[in-house]
Amino acid sequence: MILVLVEVEKNTKNVVELKMHSTLFNILFFLGCSLNLSVFAGPGKVDFIDSYFSEYDHPDTPGAAVLVMQNGETLFERGYGLAQISSASAVTPKTNFRLASLSKQFTATAILLLVQQKQLSLDSRLITFFPKLSDYASKITIRQLLNHTSGLVDYEDLIPASQTQQLTDFDVLSLLEKQKSTYFSPGSQYRYSNGGYVLLGLIVERITGTSFSQFLKQNIFTPLSMNNSLMYEGSQTDIPFRAFGYTAFGNSFKQTDQSVTSATRGDGGVYTSLNDWALWENAINENILLSNELQEMAFSPGQLSNGSFTEYGFGWMVDIFKGLTHQYHTGSTIGFRTGVERFPQKNLMVLVLINRANSTPWTIARNIAERLF
């Protein structure tokens, strides 16, 4: 008898491994049959997933993509609608969506790779890398940047109203260099910080002497054969199979693909597809890049100076959902919404990517996961 469970993710943590009848598995393998959705879930068990995407499943509107995995196998993978309206390009498993804040797990992994290589300590101080920052940077650690307990002022609140050109990571650093204090004493509270992850990307560059984009390519994307994944660095970036972002205005859609913050990197600049994400998910499960200790650290809640815990690890939100460890994250930027859910005790992951604003892929992903477990 074969059971099936799906993985959901956006800072979701617990997965139960499915035990498959070894004899049946061997027979299927011998016959050259792939273990597809029908084998794992049984006839009709995932038919309901299409119903969540009916508003995206049109030949003339921005679309969506969904990936469901369990035990390293893809149970469901499908694209809906268009990646680009003007060219009528359909969303497929190869379509590259902007991940927005789902990118933070890649930034966190880059930092942990440097820790693993003993080039960096989680207790290193921010001032070491950016001496022009005010004295507060001598109290902020890499760990606090990773779990959003640094107290850094939100750089998006510092952008001049007259700003029209896209900000670079160095523009963000310049804005933060003008600040004389933090929201709170570092380590005492939790407050989500995009600026902290921008600085983490710059730290990678300062340690390695290579660009953050190249570091991701050489140390994450290429080793995992995520050959179409990349970091956006401005209009010169060539993105294969690209989805463009849109916003609904009445009964029509306007392309809203870029904003002044769309060229910052460590906080949200990665583009990837369902195909490549499946490789990423398996790398997490099999500890291909990071040791088990460091991977577990990424999924562990941050601890405040008073001994209490937050619900954020390193690039992942973490909590307990219906008695299960829950690892997940959401992403939101102009024209894109993304959500991933993981339940490691169920060995289940669900990823939903949408190239239109005013959508809630995180809700869809969690609903699919609940139905499946």
Side-chain angles (χ1 to χ4, degrees):
M1 177 179 182
I2 298 179
L3 297 178
V4 176
L5 278 127
V6 178
E7 252 186 347
V8 176
E9 172 132 10
K10 185 228 172 251
N11 280 354
T12 302
K13 192 171 184 170
N14 273 352
V15 180
V16 171
E17 287 192 357
L18 293 177
K19 304 299 182 181
M20 295 176 292
H21 192 288
S22 60
T23 301
L24 179 54
F25 178 88
N26 290 334
I27 291 173
L28 288 171
F29 183 83
F30 178 76
L31 293 176
C33 299
S34 62
L35 291 174
N36 59 19
L37 176 129
S38 62
V39 174
F40 276 88
K45 293 296 184 180
V46 293
D47 289 351
F48 72 91
I49 292 178
D50 281 334
S51 65
Y52 285 104
F53 297 93
S54 57
E55 68 176 288
Y56 305 97
D57 193 15
H58 298 287
D60 56 355
T61 66
V66 57
L67 172 67
V68 180
M69 295 183 67
Q70 171 148 39
N71 291 336
E73 298 290 339
T74 295
L75 303 184
F76 191 91
E77 180 183 59
R78 189 162 298 170
Y80 306 86
L82 299 179
Q84 184 179 29
I85 292 177
S86 61
S87 64
S89 303
V91 173
T92 75
K94 289 185 177 181
T95 300
N96 269 329
F97 285 77
R98 184 180 181 90
L99 291 183
S101 284
L102 268 62
S103 302
K104 288 182 171 66
Q105 59 196 265
F106 294 96
T107 302
T109 298
I111 290 292
L112 291 175
L113 283 170
L114 295 179
V115 172
Q116 185 165 265
Q117 297 164 9
K118 302 189 184 307
Q119 297 188 63
L120 178 67
S121 167
L122 291 175
D123 296 319
S124 296
R125 304 286 168 159
L126 185 57
I127 196 72
T128 303
F129 307 98
F130 308 110
K132 291 184 180 180
L133 290 172
S134 295
D135 289 344
Y136 66 76
S138 64
K139 302 176 182 178
I140 294 175
T141 66
I142 301 300
R143 186 188 307 271
Q144 290 163 350
L145 291 176
L146 286 166
N147 60 29
H148 298 296
T149 60
S150 68
L152 280 175
V153 174
D154 187 351
Y155 79 84
E156 291 174 307
D157 290 341
L158 305 175
I159 300 173
S162 59
Q163 183 79 31
T164 56
Q165 291 187 328
Q166 289 187 328
L167 273 73
T168 67
D169 291 359
F170 296 101
D171 292 327
V172 172
L173 176 60
S174 179
L175 290 171
L176 292 175
E177 286 174 343
K178 295 179 175 65
Q179 304 309 300
K180 301 303 180 184
S181 62
T182 53
Y183 288 125
F184 48 78
S185 176
S188 65
Q189 298 180 44
Y190 167 86
R191 178 166 176 152
Y192 193 85
S193 173
N194 283 309
Y197 271 74
V198 171
L199 295 184
L200 287 169
L202 287 174
I203 288 171
V204 171
E205 293 186 337
R206 300 213 167 180
I207 290 176
T208 64
T210 188
S211 74
F212 184 41
S213 315
Q214 278 299 110
F215 183 88
L216 292 182
K217 181 178 180 179
Q218 293 170 4
N219 294 274
I220 297 179
F221 299 147
T222 297
L224 299 181
S225 297
M226 297 174 65
N227 297 325
N228 289 318
S229 297
L230 51 81
M231 174 66 74
Y232 182 81
E233 294 190 287
S235 58
Q236 75 278 8
T237 307
D238 182 22
I239 303 171
F241 313 112
R242 180 177 178 175
F244 288 82
Y246 294 87
T247 299
F249 291 91
N251 295 322
S252 62
F253 288 92
K254 178 181 178 181
Q255 185 169 303
T256 54
D257 189 68
Q258 297 288 302
S259 71
V260 295
T261 61
S262 291
T264 60
R265 299 173 298 173
D267 58 340
V270 172
Y271 276 75
T272 197
S273 64
L274 300 186
N275 285 349
D276 277 8
W277 190 277
L279 300 170
W280 174 243
E281 171 63 19
N282 283 334
I284 293 173
N285 287 331
E286 298 171 16
N287 299 119
I288 292 175
L289 296 178
L290 296 175
S291 67
N292 183 67
E293 179 184 5
L294 287 175
Q295 188 65 70
E296 284 303 309
M297 197 176 292
F299 288 132
S300 299
Q303 187 171 17
L304 300 177
S305 53
N306 65 5
S308 64
F309 290 89
T310 70
E311 293 187 349
Y312 202 97
F314 299 162
W316 287 97
M317 298 175 186
V318 292
D319 63 15
I320 301 298
F321 182 75
K322 295 192 173 181
L324 297 173
T325 301
H326 182 211
Q327 305 157 345
Y328 65 101
H329 215 290
T330 62
S332 180
T333 188
I334 186 169
F336 290 92
R337 301 291 185 271
T338 60
V340 61
E341 298 275 328
R342 299 186 81 242
F343 292 93
Q345 291 163 336
K346 298 292 186 183
N347 217 359
L348 175 64
M349 186 283 301
V350 179
L351 171 73
V352 177
L353 309 173
I354 298 176
N355 62 327
R356 66 170 77 173
N358 305 318
S359 58
T360 56
W362 41 86
T363 301
I364 296 173
R366 190 164 303 180
N367 287 341
I368 290 173
E370 281 192 81
R371 292 278 297 267
L372 287 166
F373 69 62

